[in-house]
Amino acid sequence: MADLGTQDLGTQDLGTQDNPLRVAIVGSGPAGFYAAEALLKAAPVVLVDMFERLASPFGLVRSGVAPDHPRLKEPIHVYQRIAESPGFRFLGNVTIGRDISVAELQNCYHAVIFTCGAQSDRTMDIPGEELPGSHAATEFVGWYNGHPDYRNRVFDLSGTTAVIIGQGNVAVDVCRILAKTADELRHSDIAAHALEVLAESRIRDIVMIGRRSPAQAKFTHPELRELGSLAGCDPVVNPRDLDLDAASRAELADKSNRAALKSYEVLQQFAARSAPTRPRRCHIEFLKTPIELRGEGRLEYLVLMHNRLVGEPSHQVAQPTGETEELSCSILFRSIGYRGVAIPGVPFDPVRGVIPNRDGRVIDGAAVTPGLYVSGWIKRGPTGIIGTNREDSVLTVNALLADLPQLDAGVRPGAAGLQARLDERGVRVVSYADWQRIDAAEIARGAAAGKPREKFTRLDEMLDVLAAATTPRAKAAEPIT
Ligand code: NAP
């Protein structure tokens, strides 16, 4: 076994040709790529190694953004340019905390930035939540986007009513994917296994339920508006739900809250539409909270508590009125937020589901943990659009660069120091060149079906592409130098 006890190869000025600043980034989504970009643009000489547990990069841009929203995937072109920059290396199919420990990373790098996002989801914590038919929206999203973790999930769309709890943009994505016809999805990069199931869906009514009023809904108006222009589904809004309390009216009158007002106007347009005629309906309902899921062996209906709002404008919370309602449904998706997952050896806040930090510096209690940094959803929680992560990662990298005088300046080997460990554990590291081969194969598969790509949804399929490569160099994992 290689001794990784100390990887200090001497001391020179840090951030120079003789002693480049070596940074490991854990996670290859937007926050990771923007951190890499900021580091590679910085004045010191920097070498960045990005670790990713999957064989494919780009995180939620690949496996979270809806397949019918290709424009939102355009940042991938920026990430591709970053990945091809001198000083950047991608190490896919390596799980930090399993294949390589955080302590081992710290031995080989001057700094580590965790940008591993929020890989799990919040639960409602109500009776019956575990019944078959009750799912996390995050699992459904991963499934239709071909994420290997969710490849084998089963979503039974043989009933007529689907319920979505929550009113953020993920809820709208789930609603739209359930509402669209197969023809509307066929030429997107939706996973083939999902398209097959969705094409057979018997869902007729989709009910998207918020616990507060239309003024507090988290979805954004362009996403909401799309629900009004689907081929086979009409949006349904009860005009009575648009009668707001005084505090909500004050919220919408606030000029800094124009986005909410625009969503409200879209809801008004939906409420004014004539009776639905399309085969599916998407009902958008407010001021209700699920308190129990019930059914004999699987989900059959849910019990909803009606709410009223209490509190000052912008601080209103849902309070139960005591009035309840039952709603029959065969499938339910809770879409109430993503949640970060702890990495062994790194402090974690189990309440917020984030790595505790001060300005991107990881903290343990009150003390800063030298050399450990964080950015993106695992830093601030699951909020914001893709571009929000750029700003966030620049702030974290600025903190790291400001800390350079305090970092241990010993020369570090980077990923070369991990080769023995990875070999010993039989990890087939997927390099960026490997990913480019997999990418090309996905695009070629998609072309046959008129899709931008047909994703591989299993690691084995991706490794098979590499094994089938024609040159010996492409077949074998590249030695880490
Ligand atoms: P989100 O925007 O935070 O929405 C979460 C929803 O869940 C809110 O309606 C929230 O209501 C509700 N909720 C939370 N806890 C609940 C509970 N215990 N019971 C009932 N309802 C509850 O989260 P998201 O939809 O997962 O989206 C995450 C981020 O990704 C957001 O920033 C979103 O904009 C972004 N995103 C963007 C796009 C896009 O641009 N097209 C697509 C997908 C996601 P309250 O407000 O009452 O808490």
Side-chain angles (χ1 to χ4, degrees), residues 69-92:
H69 279 172
R71 217 174 45 76
L72 293 184
K73 298 184 197 227
E74 283 174 9
I76 283 181
H77 301 305
V78 174
Y79 308 155
Q80 285 167 333
R81 279 200 296 279
I82 297 166
E84 288 163 15
S85 307
F88 178 94
R89 177 164 39 195
F90 176 75
L91 297 103

Side-chain angles (χ1 to χ4, degrees), residues 69 72 122 165-171 173 211-212 216 218 223 289 335-338 377 382-385:
H69 279 172
L72 293 184
R122 289 199 200 126
I165 301 300
Q167 290 184 332
N169 278 335
V170 170
D173 281 347
R211 61 181 168 181
R212 297 192 286 162
Q216 293 85 33
K218 293 268 173 54
E223 281 67 26
T289 301
S335 182
I336 60 172
Y338 284 74
W377 279 6
T383 58
I385 57 173

Side-chain angles (χ1 to χ4, degrees), residues 4 6-9 14 18-25 46-51 87 89 91 96 100-101 103-112 410-422 479-481:
L4 284 181
T6 172
Q7 292 286 317
D8 195 333
L9 308 178
L14 187 53
D18 288 338
N19 186 13
L21 171 65
R22 290 200 182 260
V23 181
I25 295 179
V46 184
L47 296 176
V48 173
D49 287 343
M50 178 180 277
F51 293 85
R89 177 164 39 195
L91 297 103
I96 302 303
I100 297 291
S101 72
E104 286 166 336
L105 268 193
Q106 286 177 289
N107 277 329
C108 293
Y109 294 88
H110 298 105
V112 181
V411 177
R412 300 298 162 95
L418 299 170
Q419 175 92 67
R421 278 279 194 263
L422 292 165
I480 301 170
T481 52

Side-chain angles (χ1 to χ4, degrees), residues 265-451:
E265 288 166 356
V266 175
L267 292 168
Q268 283 179 313
Q269 290 158 18
F270 289 172
R273 284 166 73 124
S274 44
T277 52
R278 293 175 173 79
R280 287 190 177 132
R281 291 158 297 272
C282 155
H283 309 260
I284 309 172
E285 301 193 356
F286 300 91
L287 289 168
K288 295 173 188 176
T289 301
I291 53 170
E292 187 172 356
L293 309 189
R294 291 188 189 153
E296 285 299 317
R298 59 161 296 111
L299 176 65
E300 290 172 0
Y301 65 101
L302 75 152
V303 184
L304 289 159
M305 172 63 73
H306 289 205
N307 300 327
R308 70 168 76 85
L309 293 180
V310 293
E312 295 297 310
S314 306
H315 300 284
Q316 295 190 89
V317 296
Q319 189 179 70
T321 63
E323 185 187 342
T324 59
E325 164 191 340
E326 290 178 359
L327 175 62
S328 294
C329 65
S330 56
I331 191 158
L332 174 141
F333 302 94
R334 60 175 185 275
S335 182
I336 60 172
Y338 284 74
R339 199 173 188 290
V341 173
I343 299 179
V346 184
F348 189 69
D349 176 345
V351 177
R352 292 188 57 220
V354 298
I355 296 177
N357 68 94
R358 201 177 300 134
D359 304 326
R361 298 174 177 94
V362 175
I363 52 172
D364 195 357
V368 167
T369 310
L372 297 188
Y373 299 85
V374 65
S375 180
W377 279 6
I378 194 66
K379 171 187 180 184
R380 64 177 197 276
T383 58
I385 57 173
I386 293 168
T388 314
N389 296 296
R390 187 157 202 252
E391 208 178 309
D392 198 11
S393 289
V394 167
L395 289 173
T396 291
V397 167
N398 285 345
L400 189 162
L401 296 173
D403 290 349
L404 275 196
Q406 284 91 54
L407 292 181
D408 181 341
V411 177
R412 300 298 162 95
L418 299 170
Q419 175 92 67
R421 278 279 194 263
L422 292 165
D423 288 349
E424 181 193 333
R425 290 166 194 172
V427 178
R428 167 46 161 116
V429 177
V430 173
S431 68
Y432 195 71
D434 288 334
W435 159 247
Q436 288 174 310
R437 289 178 196 106
I438 296 167
D439 187 36
E442 286 190 346
I443 292 170
R445 269 157 49 107
K451 299 173 71 170

